[in-house]
Each structure stands twice: as structure tokens, then as C-alpha cells.
């Protein structure tokens, strides 16, 4: 055991004292949290050091997961859980008069990501450490994470997320390991003894300082590292020359311009705008990350020529794909390797995951801008492109094909193509997504490199998303099938025999009910709104996007509302519709949709004639910590994207694991959830992939047809502009136009009828509680297959070719 209760209590009191000269009675919750966090970090320190030492000593192959985003959330609870001292901390603190759950609420979320992609990276780190796989994160330590959302008069207002204001107990600043990253300047080419060499001059240096956070494995001795880089000036704070001339503001300006690189996370997850700061961010952390990896590799004394046998770099979407060129640059310019050898090593090191097929999210950089910022890296990409185009031409003798596949074409650099050409593996994140990539978006590349393409369906860590967020459900599971599922989540399948056990189902019901009651109390305390824990909790929480179709959900609510107005005795189970969603600050339609949800909430919640049968609640500031609270309460999980548009989704898996019933289109990983649980245990609706693709190909969808021929749709859509929602008519004019004049890009009107019908099925199913609970149990039973442990095992075996390492616990 790491620590016993008595020692823990003493350690904690001592921490409070040494850090703040306070005892428990005189300390704030913040100080108590910080003291506890710092103590927990101390408890993991020995393991962290051992892990690093053992990896180095045994020259283990290590994975570096490069990502612009790590949506970690809070670490206190999950660290305590993974160290297997939850009960000791909880009881020990309680004996000191402190509630552990309350302390956890003090921690600011590390919200260094937009949504799915960043959260996936965080789940992967947890799984790698828990499986003993040597795998680390590499990213940016943003001063500000994803904005905090406030709802003011129904509108989203963004507030900077100053997550570091109280300090960060988990990180270690390692200034001694800083790296210099070079921007701008020119390249001088010289020839000596027939060998070309390149000198980069007049560049601007930026200091990348690493901040390391321990990633603690579950009940093992592994502690991996998430290394995030912060941008700083080399001459400490000022541009000394300006400073000494008395030009103070110029001196500070220089500092700010450099620090701005790691200042803020871009809050948009689509509609790339090609801003230079974003490119700087990408190169900044990629260059620093690769240089530091190579530096520590060299310390092992092995020759650089073998590095590909010891490291893997994973490229999380195209954002870090510049790694392909930067690694080449280092091998060639700094390590003096010949091109062909460097190229072979690079492709063996790199692997790339694609997370999206939306055309507007595919990253391209203008050649002009790129060249200016990274002249030498551009030369390398140019050469990679030349060689690749030549190969394509040799294979097909078809210039049009070469043009279509070129990394550099029409004035810009296609980063996805660079990642594909420079990696040994290209994967999608769900079966359907990978199939679409192979058959459509990346078809040419699939034909050219069939062996590179593979699927790795996403997953979620069951430690955070079940053990930590739903402890009472875990207790029931363990009481029922024992503890094996904890280390081997696929063992949850043993629950299947209990899905017809009335005793088990009653307990399952009770747990869900208790979760709902607790949440309702929180809502009452925080927002003053009463919600009925006996109503169906119907939840759609995810980023706000047209393709995710929050609008479809709203339209069903309006339809229900109008039906209730026409017939107040309508026989439906009362339902509470929850939404949680952040809109990118510049995404106009998404922001209007938030206002619409809040307007409908206002209308419905204040209409006494419908007897409180439906309620609508927009949960402000959806985040990892809020997700952990709402997901265990959900009866219904809304996964209603237009088929083919959601690469995978991971929220769908979290809800399933917590026993919600999914209402879904056959999109992303919903397809695989459906495959597992079968027709009877999920409610599927909507257009299938071929239907969507045909409409898109033939351009023959006609939204107006549905408006004109379905009176329910007409009434709902008209109410957007006729004042019946109780706001000025102009408020939702643009949503109206988007649907009719712009022909409803994501087929909301087309799928409406089927969705309403599916919601009716949900209503009927819920009425049969015994059946409903059986479905719920079946979903939990199959959810283990969606643990990210499973996903990571596949990455490790099929892409990275790395093995787990058994870290021995030596005490120094
Ligand atoms: C790119 C350039 C400039 C500015 C922003 C971006 C950017 C940032 C974030 C582009 C995309 C993202 C995030 C994408 C994302 O979260 N995709 C989701 O990835 C999940 C994990 O694989 C999937 O489950 C979701 O289906 C997918 O939408």
C-alpha cells in the first residue's frame, strides 16, 4: 500500500502547515485542495522517476502522442483513484472534517481542448499509463484553455478561461530542459565536397519551456509524462536592446509577441482560417517536442540511425503533421543523414490519425505564409512533394492524378497529404469513418498505399467515465460480477445474464434515480430551476455544430410542445431535455441555435398549461467536469448527427457505459454500438449513409418539399419567424433561411419525421420499466468493448509495435 490512513492524515496536515502555515480550521478549501494535490503528486513522484529511469535504462521503445489539444479536465479524483488510495483519502479527510468531493470541485478543469479530439488524447494517456505502455503526451501549455461560457439573456458570452489563476499543482516546470525553436529568417545553401548543406540565418529564437504533468497508471507503478510547452523569450523578459535605449513598450511588445504563441487555444474546431499564429503554435510544439525526444534518445548512446526502433510519433489529426518535415530537417541538417535514409526512418516513426471528413476542417497553408515563417521546413516539404509526385506519375502516368494528390498544389500545402505520405499508418476513428476515407476522401491515397490504411475505433477510459463518475453503479457491478471488469472492462459482458434479473434491475433503477435526484438538487441550488427526477432525462451534450443537429432535437421539442398545447392530456412520460454545448465564437449559426434553445426553454418551462410535462434546460459551460456529472443521470443519449458526418463520437460511449439508451443515426461509432447491442437495445432512425451520399452526389435534396408537405414542420419552421416564440421576429430569421433558402445542408427536415417517430418509441419503451432497465443493463454489459484500453492495445500492437513495461517499485 502506498500509504495508510494515519500516515495520510499526518502527511496532509503537515502539507497544509509547510505550504501555508495553516491548520485545518484556519485554511480555505482552496488551500486544502492545493495541499492535497501537492501531496498526491509527492506520492506519485517515486514511481514517476522510476518509470523514466527504467524506460531509459532498458532502452524501451516509447510512443509520443503529439496533439494540439489535451482535454484533461480535473486530475485530483482520477489521480487518487489510479493510485488506489481513494478510500484512504476520503475517510482520512472526513475524519479531519473535510469532504473529498467538495475539494475536487475546487480544481479548475484543464480545458486545453475543444472537444472529442482533445478528450480522446486525454483518455489515451490514461489508458497507456494504466496498461504500462511507455507513451507520453506532447502539446502546448496554453495560458488560456477553451473559453468559459456564460449564458446572458439566452446568448452565449465567452469569458477567458484563466485556468492557471490558482496555480497548477500537477505540473513541474523544467527550465533546464528548455529548447530553442527558430522562426523566419533565410536559408543559405552551400556546397562542400559535392555535398549540399543548408544554413538557417537571421531567424528569431523562441524558448520552449517544458511543463511536465505525471500521468498515473491505474494500480500499477507506471507514471508516464504529459509534456506541454510554453513559449518564452530567451533574454528572460525583455528585448534588451530596446530596453537599454529606453524604448520600454517596444521591449515588452517583443516579449508579448513571443509569449502569445502559447497564450490561447483556438476555440474553433472547424472552418480553418489559416492564421499565422496557429501555424506558429504547430511548429513551436512539434519542433520542441521532436528535439527533446532526440536529445533524450541520444543520451542512451545509441546511434541516430536506429532511432526508429525506439520511438513512435503519433500525429493527432493534421495539426502536428509538420512533424514529418521537421523530423526530416533534423535528421538531414543536424544529424547529417542522407535523404533516403532519413525518409525511411521518418516514415517508420510517424503515424497519423484522421478525425474528420468535413471538407472545411482539412488543413491547408498558403505557400507564401509558410515559406516566410519556416523557410527551411518549406524546402523540405517541397522536396518530399517532388519525390512523391514523381512516384505517382511513374505509377499512373497521369498528370491529373498527380495534381490531385500533390502535397503542394494551387498555392497551398495540404497537411493531410503530408501526414499520409510521411507516415507508415493512417487510421480513421470508427469503421464507417475509415471506410468513407478509403472510398471517398482519401481514395487515391488508399489505392496508392493500401497497406497504410487501418481503422482504430475510438474508446473512453472507464476509470474516469464509470469508476470515478458513477461510483454507486460500480459498486453494483462489482457486487454482481466481481472485480475482474476493472482491469479487463470487456468482462462487463458478464452482466448480460443479469439483464433479466429483477433484483439487479431494481438496483440499477435506484442508482440512476439517485444520480438524477442529486443532479436536480444541484440545478435547483445553482439555477433556481426545479426539474423532476421522475421525468426522462434526455441529454444532448457536445460541441454545437450544424451537423450534430441540435436543431433536430429542438424541433422535436417544439413539436411535442405544440401537441401538448393542442391536447394537454397527451399521454407522455414527462421529459426533461438537457443541452450542453459551446459554439465557436465566430460560428454565427451555432450561436443562434443556442439562443433558440434558450428561447424554447423559456417558452416551455414557463407555460403552466402543459403541466410541467416537458422541460428544457441549457447547461451553461459544458466541460469535462460537467460531463462527469450529467452523463450518469441520463436515461436517453442523443447521438443524432447527419449520417457520414460524425467521424466517431465518444460521448455516445460514455452514455452507454452509464446505462443510457441511445437514440441515434447510423453514424460514426453508433454503428458499432448498434452492432453490439442489437436492434432491440438502441433506437435507430434517419437516413443511411448511401442515401445521404446520393443526395450529396446528385444534389437533389429539396428541403422546401418537407416544409410544404408536413404541417408539423411548417408550423415549427414558421414559428421561427412569426413571433410565436416570444422574441422579435428577426431573431431566428437566419436559421429559417438556412433551412429553406439554403436548403438545409444537414437534412434536418428530411429526418424530422423519422426522429419524431423514434422519440415516440423511446416514450413507449420507457413506460415498460422492466424492459427499459433490461436495455440499460445490456448497454452497460457491452460497453466494455469501448474502453480506450481496448483501443490503445490495438494501436500498440498494430501501429506502434510497442510492448508494455512492468515498472518495478524500487525505493531510493
Ligand atoms: C484546425 C485548424 C485551425 C483551428 C482549429 C482546428 C481544429 C481544432 C480542433 C480542427 C478540428 C478540431 C477537433 C476535431 C474533433 O474534435 N473531431 C472529433 O474527434 C473525435 C475523436 O476522434 C471524434 O469522436 C469526433 O467524431 C470528431 O468530430
Amino acid at each position: 500500500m502506498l500509504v495508510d490512513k494515519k500516515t495520510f492524515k499526518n502527511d496532509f496536515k503537515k502539507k497544509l502547515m509547510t505550504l501555508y502555515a495553516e491548520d485545518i480550521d484556519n485554511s480555505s478549501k482552496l488551500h486544502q485542495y492545493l495541499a492535497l494535490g501537492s501531496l498526491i503528486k509527492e506520492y506519485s513522484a517515486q514511481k514517476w522517476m522510476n518509470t523514466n529511469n527504467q524506460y531509459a535504462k532498458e532502452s524501451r521503445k516509447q510512443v509520443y502522442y503529439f496533439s494540439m489539444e489535451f482535454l484533461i479536465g480535473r486530475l485530483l479524483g482520477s489521480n487518487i483513484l489510479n493510485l488506489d488510495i481513494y478510500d484512504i483519502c476520503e475517510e482520512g479527510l472526513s475524519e479531519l472534517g473535510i469532504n473529498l468531493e467538495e475539494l475536487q470541485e475546487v480544481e479548475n478543469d484543464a480545458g486545453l481542448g475543444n472537444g472529442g479530439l482533445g478528450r480522446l488524447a486525454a483518455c489515451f494517456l490514461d489508458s497507456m499509463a494504466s496498461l504500462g505502455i511507455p507513451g507520453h503526451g506532447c502539446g502546448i501549455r496554453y495560458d488560456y484553455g477553451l473559453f468559459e461560457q456564460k449564458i446572458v439573456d439566452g446568448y452565449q458570452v465567452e469569458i477567458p478561461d484563466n485556468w492557471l489563476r490558482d496555480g497548477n499543482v500537477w505540473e513541474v516546470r523544467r527550465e533546464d530542459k528548455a529548447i530553442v525553436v527558430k522562426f523566419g529568417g533565410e536559408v543559405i545553401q552551400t556546397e562542400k565536397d559535392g555535398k549540399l548543406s543548408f544554413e538557417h540565418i537571421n531567424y528569431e529564437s523562441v524558448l520552449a519551456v517544458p511543463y511536465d504533468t505525471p500521468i498515473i497508471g491505474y494500480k500499477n507503478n507506471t507514471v508516464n509524462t504529459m509534456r506541454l510547452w510554453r513559449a518564452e523569450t530567451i533574454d528572460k523578459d525583455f528585448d534588451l536592446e530596446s530596453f537599454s535605449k529606453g524604448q520600454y513598450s517596444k521591449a515588452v511588445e517583443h516579449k508579448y509577441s513571443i509569449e502569445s504563441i502559447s497564450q490561447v487555444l483556438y476555440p474553433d474546431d472547424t472552418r480553418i482560417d489559416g492564421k499565422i499564429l496557429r501555424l506558429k503554435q504547430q511548429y513551436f510544439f512539434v519542433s520542441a517536442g521532436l528535439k527533446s525526444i532526440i536529445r533524450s534518445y541520444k543520451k542512451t548512446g545509441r546511434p541516430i540511425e536506429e532511432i526508429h526502433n525506439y520511438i513512435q510519433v503519433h500525429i493527432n489529426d493534421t495539426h502536428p503533421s509538420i512533424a514529418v518535415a521537421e523530423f526530416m530537417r533534423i535528421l538531414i541538417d543536424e544529424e547529417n543523414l542522407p535523404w533516403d535514409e532519413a525518409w525511411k526512418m521518418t516514415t517508420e516513426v510517424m503515424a497519423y490519425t484522421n478525425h474528420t471528413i468535413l471538407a472545411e476542417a482539412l488543413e491547408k497553408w498558403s505557400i507564401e505564409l509558410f515559406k516566410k515563417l519556416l523557410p527551411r521546413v518549406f524546402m523540405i516539404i517541397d522536396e518530399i512533394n517532388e519525390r512523391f509526385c514523381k512516384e505517382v506519375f511513374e505509377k499512373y502516368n497521369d498528370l491529373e492524378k498527380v495534381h490531385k494528390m500533390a502535397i503542394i498544389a494551387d498555392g497551398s500545402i495540404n497537411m493531410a497529404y503530408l501526414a499520409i505520405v510521411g507516415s507508415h499508418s493512417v487510421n480513421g476513428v470508427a469503421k464507417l469513418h475509415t471506410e468513407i476515407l478509403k472510398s471517398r476522401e482519401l481514395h487515391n491515397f488508399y489505392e496508392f498505399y493500401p497497406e497504410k490504411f487501418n481503422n482504430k475505433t475510438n474508446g473512453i477510459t472507464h476509470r474516469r467515465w464509470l469508476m470515478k463518475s458513477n461510483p454507486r453503479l460500480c459498486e453494483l457491478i462489482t457486487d454482481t460480477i466481481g472485480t475482474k471488469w476493472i482491469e479487463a472492462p470487456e468482462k462487463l459482458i458478464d452482466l448480460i445474464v443479469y439483464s433479466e434479473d429483477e433484483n439487479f434491475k431494481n438496483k440499477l433503477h435506484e442508482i440512476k434515480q439517485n444520480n438524477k435526484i442529486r443532479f436536480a438538487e444541484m440545478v435547483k441550488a445553482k439555477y433556481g430551476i426545479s426539474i423532476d427526477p421522475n421525468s426522462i432525462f434526455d441529454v444532448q451534450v457536445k460541441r454545437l455544430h450544424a451537423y450534430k443537429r441540435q436543431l433536430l432535437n429542438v424541433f422535436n421539442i417544439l413539436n411535442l410542445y405544440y401537441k401538448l398545447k393542442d391536447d394537454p392530456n397527451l399521454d407522455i412520460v414527462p421529459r426533461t431535455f438537457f443541452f450542453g454545448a459551446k459554439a465557436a465564437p465566430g460560428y454565427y449559426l451555432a450561436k443562434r441555435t443556442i439562443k433558440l434553445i434558450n428561447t424554447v426553454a423559456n417558452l416551455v418551462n414557463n407555460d403552466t398549461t402543459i403541466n410541467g410535462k416537458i422541460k428544457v434546460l441549457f447547461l451553461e459551460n459544458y466541460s469535462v467536469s460537467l460531463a462527469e456529472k450529467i452523463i450518469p443521470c441520463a436515461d436517453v443519449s442523443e447521438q443524432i448527427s447527419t449520417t457520414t458526418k460524425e467521424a466517431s463520437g465518444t460521448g455516445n460511449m460514455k452514455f452507454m457505459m452509464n446505462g443510457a439508451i441511445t437514440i441515434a443515426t447510423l453514424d460514426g461509432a453508433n454503428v458499432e454500438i448498434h452492432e453490439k447491442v442489437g436492434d432491440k437495445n438502441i433506437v435507430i432512425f434517419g437516413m443511411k449513409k448511401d442515401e445521404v451520399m446520393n443526395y450529396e452526389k446528385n444534389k437533389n435534396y429539396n428541403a422546401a418539399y418537407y416544409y410544404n408537405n408536413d404541417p408539423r414542420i411548417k408550423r415549427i419552421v414558421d414559428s421561427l419567424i412569426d413571433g410565436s416564440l416570444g422574441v422579435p421576429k428577426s431573431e431566428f430569421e437566419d436559421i429559417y433561411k438556412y433551412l429553406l433558402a439554403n436548403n438545409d445542408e444537414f437534412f434536418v427536415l428530411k429526418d424530422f419525421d423519422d426522429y419524431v417517430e423514434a422519440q415516440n418509441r423511446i416514450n413507449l419503451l420507457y413506460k415498460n420499466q422492466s424492459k427499459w432497465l433490461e436495455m440499460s443493463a445490456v448497454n452497460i454489459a457491452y460497453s466494455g468493448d469501448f474502453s480506450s484500453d481496448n483501443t490503445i492495445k490495438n494501436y500498440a500492437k498494430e501501429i506502434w509495435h510497442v510492448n508494455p513495461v512492468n515498472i518495478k517499485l524500487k525505493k531510493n
Side-chain angles (χ1 to χ4, degrees):
M1 204 198 318
L2 198 56
V3 65
D4 61 54
K5 193 165 73 185
K6 188 157 165 248
T7 316
F8 165 75
K9 281 163 70 179
N10 283 332
D11 289 350
F12 176 73
K13 286 191 280 191
K14 195 157 161 217
K15 255 279 149 271
L16 254 185
M17 216 259 291
T18 52
L19 280 177
Y20 305 110
E22 286 172 347
D23 54 23
I24 288 172
D25 292 342
N26 296 305
S27 56
S28 63
K29 283 220 176 85
L30 176 62
H31 279 182
Q32 292 171 359
Y33 156 73
L34 291 169
L36 180 61
S38 130
L39 182 60
I40 297 300
K41 191 171 80 178
E42 230 169 80
Y43 286 158
S44 68
Q46 181 81 48
K47 293 183 178 191
W48 198 8
M49 189 172 79
N50 291 351
T51 303
N52 285 327
N53 289 346
Q54 207 177 314
Y55 289 164
K57 211 172 110 220
E58 297 175 5
S59 290
R60 293 301 188 143
K61 187 175 190 182
Q62 299 182 58
V63 180
Y64 298 89
Y65 198 84
F66 276 49
S67 178
M68 287 282 273
E69 310 195 358
F70 287 94
L71 191 42
I72 298 287
R74 292 174 174 156
L75 280 175
L76 179 61
S78 77
N79 283 347
I80 294 180
L81 175 78
N82 285 8
L83 287 173
D84 197 24
I85 51 172
Y86 204 96
D87 292 344
I88 285 172
C89 292
E90 189 170 54
E91 282 169 32
L93 288 171
S94 148
E95 287 169 20
L96 298 172
I98 297 170
N99 180 318
L100 175 57
E101 216 173 306
E102 277 174 33
L103 280 201
Q104 294 184 53
E105 289 299 309
V106 176
E107 181 171 0
N108 291 316
D109 275 43
L112 310 185
N114 273 285
L117 163 147
R119 184 54 233 175
L120 185 76
C123 284
F124 280 5
L125 293 185
D126 184 74
S127 284
M128 289 192 287
S130 296
L131 294 168
I133 289 171
H136 314 283
C138 177
I140 299 173
R141 181 183 178 274
Y142 300 105
D143 296 330
Y144 294 88
L146 185 64
F147 64 86
E148 184 187 333
Q149 178 193 56
K150 288 251 182 275
I151 301 297
V152 178
D153 189 24
Y155 299 99
Q156 166 175 299
V157 175
E158 301 95 24
I159 295 177
D161 166 48
N162 186 6
W163 70 293
L164 293 165
R165 68 180 162 262
D166 307 317
N168 175 359
V169 279
W170 307 114
E171 67 188 11
V172 180
R173 175 183 164 96
R174 297 199 197 277
E175 52 282 310
D176 56 320
K177 294 209 158 74
I179 297 267
V180 176
V181 177
K182 300 171 182 175
F183 290 101
E186 296 108 49
V187 178
I188 299 191
Q189 186 174 326
T190 47
E191 198 183 321
K192 207 176 143 195
D193 307 332
K195 197 173 175 268
L196 286 179
S197 64
F198 301 87
E199 197 193 349
H200 190 184
I201 56 163
N202 296 335
Y203 51 79
E204 181 180 40
S205 294
V206 174
L207 193 68
V209 181
Y211 285 70
D212 289 352
T213 298
I215 303 294
I216 302 173
Y218 180 73
K219 275 203 198 183
N220 61 13
N221 295 319
T222 299
V223 178
N224 290 332
T225 301
M226 174 175 71
R227 173 162 285 183
L228 303 180
W229 298 91
R230 173 165 197 261
E232 297 183 7
T233 50
I234 293 200
D235 310 312
K236 245 349 194 186
D237 289 335
F238 296 108
D239 163 0
L240 290 176
E241 205 180 304
S242 307
F243 189 73
S244 63
K245 284 193 212 143
Q247 299 168 336
Y248 301 126
S249 68
K250 188 157 174 256
V252 186
E253 232 168 71
H254 176 249
K255 168 177 148 78
Y256 284 148
S257 111
I258 284 188
E259 289 183 349
S260 71
I261 294 175
S262 58
Q263 199 148 52
V264 57
L265 165 82
Y266 271 84
D268 205 334
D269 55 358
T270 45
R271 301 169 315 116
I272 308 316
D273 57 0
K275 287 266 188 334
I276 191 147
L277 181 60
R278 171 95 181 167
L279 183 58
K280 278 192 190 167
Q281 291 186 329
Q282 297 184 343
Y283 183 68
F284 167 74
F285 92 95
V286 164
S287 177
L290 291 176
K291 285 179 178 171
S292 93
I293 291 166
I294 292 171
R295 182 176 60 192
S296 60
Y297 170 75
K298 285 174 133 185
K299 278 203 201 139
T300 67
R302 291 182 189 273
I304 190 77
E305 286 82 359
E306 289 174 18
I307 192 169
H308 53 284
N309 297 325
Y310 297 93
I311 70 164
Q312 282 287 300
V313 169
H314 205 89
I315 300 175
N316 196 26
D317 216 297
T318 51
H319 321 154
S321 56
I322 205 167
V324 169
E326 175 67 358
F327 198 65
M328 280 296 281
R329 189 195 65 74
I330 298 171
L331 294 183
I332 291 171
D333 292 359
E334 296 178 15
E335 303 296 334
N336 295 309
L337 292 181
W339 182 281
D340 290 329
E341 190 177 0
W343 182 244
K344 189 163 174 290
M345 289 162 65
T346 300
T347 52
E348 284 187 33
V349 163
M350 303 288 159
Y352 157 66
T353 299
N354 174 292
H355 295 265
T356 184
I357 43 188
L358 291 185
E360 61 268 37
L362 290 180
E363 265 191 312
K364 288 187 183 145
W365 290 108
S366 115
I367 296 176
E368 288 322 304
L369 176 144
F370 198 105
K371 238 189 199 162
K372 224 166 135 196
L373 188 70
L374 305 164
R376 178 62 185 142
V377 182
F378 177 77
M379 290 170 72
I380 304 247
I381 297 180
D382 201 26
E383 181 72 24
I384 294 173
N385 181 50
E386 284 298 316
R387 290 173 184 239
F388 173 66
C389 287
K390 200 164 151 252
E391 271 185 66
V392 175
F393 187 76
E394 274 163 14
K395 178 156 182 180
Y396 300 109
N397 206 354
D398 175 351
L399 277 175
E400 204 185 309
K401 190 120 175 169
V402 172
H403 183 77
K404 276 195 194 143
M405 296 176 74
I407 297 168
I408 303 178
D410 305 323
S412 53
I413 310 172
N414 186 314
M415 299 309 274
Y417 296 178
L418 176 65
I420 297 168
V421 174
S423 298
H424 64 279
S425 167
V426 176
N427 75 283
V429 290
K431 284 186 201 163
L432 176 70
H433 170 59
T434 303
E435 282 318 308
I436 294 173
L437 290 178
K438 291 203 292 194
S439 64
R440 223 177 47 184
E441 266 65 21
L442 301 177
H443 181 67
N444 288 334
F445 287 90
Y446 174 58
E447 268 188 353
F448 194 75
Y449 298 123
E451 71 290 348
K452 287 192 186 186
F453 283 73
N454 64 93
N455 174 249
K456 294 286 167 284
T457 299
N458 283 166
I460 56 166
T461 166
H462 63 289
R463 287 165 292 273
R464 181 177 293 264
W465 298 108
L466 181 56
M467 297 168 67
K468 177 168 172 288
S469 64
N470 205 343
R472 277 159 287 256
L473 179 56
C474 293
E475 234 170 81
L476 172 63
I477 295 172
T478 296
D479 287 348
T480 312
I481 60 169
T483 55
K484 284 206 189 97
W485 66 274
I486 292 175
E487 306 270 347
E490 65 282 358
K491 289 262 160 40
L492 284 171
I493 198 63
D494 292 350
L495 285 173
I496 206 81
V497 289
Y498 296 90
S499 62
E500 291 173 36
D501 179 316
E502 289 306 315
N503 183 31
F504 176 80
K505 289 195 290 186
N506 287 338
K507 288 185 183 151
L508 189 59
H509 175 73
E510 199 183 309
I511 288 162
K512 182 71 74 182
Q513 211 50 32
N514 277 333
N515 291 342
K516 288 163 76 176
I517 291 169
R518 271 165 59 102
F519 194 79
E521 284 166 1
M522 190 279 282
V523 167
K524 179 82 196 168
K526 207 166 159 195
Y527 303 103
I529 299 175
S530 303
I531 50 176
D532 176 8
N534 292 314
S535 63
I536 298 176
F537 277 26
D538 180 314
V539 187
Q540 185 174 23
V541 285
K542 47 183 81 253
R543 282 301 284 257
L544 214 140
H545 259 295
Y547 84 81
K548 294 179 189 280
R549 297 200 296 191
Q550 280 91 353
L551 262 185
L552 182 57
N553 191 343
V554 175
F555 284 7
N556 173 62
I557 296 170
L558 278 175
N559 183 53
L560 251 182
Y561 175 66
Y562 293 144
K563 269 173 84 172
L564 281 166
K565 292 295 285 176
D566 294 344
D567 173 13
N569 295 322
L570 190 72
D571 179 28
I572 57 160
V573 183
R575 219 193 272 213
T576 308
F577 294 92
F578 295 90
F579 290 85
K582 288 182 182 176
Y587 191 169
Y588 173 76
L589 192 79
K591 290 183 131 177
R592 284 284 134 178
T593 306
I594 291 180
K595 174 66 176 171
L596 176 63
I597 297 169
N598 285 306
T599 304
V600 171
N602 232 336
L603 182 73
V604 168
N605 299 351
N606 295 315
D607 188 333
T608 48
T609 67
I610 59 165
N611 300 323
K613 281 205 173 141
I614 56 176
K615 281 243 159 101
V616 180
L617 208 70
F618 189 96
L619 302 166
E620 202 171 64
N621 200 36
Y622 180 59
S623 55
V624 175
S625 53
L626 182 55
E628 287 170 35
K629 295 192 178 84
I630 183 72
I631 291 172
C633 306
D635 297 303
V636 177
S637 157
E638 298 272 353
Q639 308 301 336
I640 60 178
S641 54
T642 310
T643 302
T644 73
K645 304 297 175 193
E646 188 71 273
S648 161
T650 42
N652 45 5
M653 303 166 185
K654 296 167 195 164
F655 281 102
M656 174 195 195
M657 196 172 268
N658 284 274
I661 306 305
T662 311
I663 179 167
T665 49
L666 282 178
D667 197 16
N670 301 345
V671 176
E672 288 157 71
I673 294 177
H674 175 240
E675 255 170 38
K676 299 256 184 240
V677 303
D679 277 331
K680 282 199 202 131
N681 297 297
I682 188 169
V683 177
I684 297 293
F685 77 96
M687 293 158 87
K688 305 291 178 285
K689 105 174 193 289
D690 292 336
E691 230 178 316
V692 173
M693 287 182 169
N694 281 335
Y695 271 124
E696 285 176 345
K697 195 168 115 209
N698 303 325
K699 301 190 168 35
N700 57 351
Y701 174 58
N702 180 7
Y705 172 85
Y706 297 91
Y707 170 82
N708 289 321
N709 288 284
D710 186 332
R712 298 168 304 175
I713 294 182
K714 186 160 192 318
R715 182 169 179 191
I716 292 162
V717 173
D718 283 346
S719 69
L720 295 172
I721 53 159
D722 66 10
S724 57
L725 300 180
V727 290
K729 292 181 180 173
S730 59
E731 196 75 74
F732 304 120
E733 214 172 6
D734 292 312
I735 297 184
Y736 179 90
K737 282 189 192 147
Y738 163 80
L739 290 170
L740 294 177
N742 292 344
N743 205 30
D744 179 22
E745 187 182 358
F746 295 107
F747 308 99
V748 172
L749 304 190
K750 166 85 178 84
D751 270 346
F752 174 79
D753 177 61
D754 207 15
Y755 181 59
V756 169
E757 199 273 326
Q759 286 289 19
N760 288 338
R761 264 184 283 158
I762 290 270
N763 185 60
L764 289 178
L765 285 166
Y766 194 84
K767 282 187 180 169
N768 183 346
Q769 272 294 297
S770 173
K771 196 81 211 141
W772 183 269
L773 290 164
E774 181 182 331
M775 294 169 71
S776 173
V778 170
N779 271 275
I780 299 169
Y782 281 103
S783 71
D785 293 350
F786 295 100
S787 164
S788 45
D789 288 8
N790 188 19
T791 313
I792 283 296
K793 280 183 190 162
N794 292 329
Y795 274 87
K797 183 157 166 257
E798 295 161 19
I799 298 180
W800 303 328
H801 308 291
V802 291
N803 297 312
V805 175
N806 189 5
I807 303 295
K808 293 172 211 82
L809 189 59
K810 295 191 306 254
K811 287 233 161 84
N812 288 32

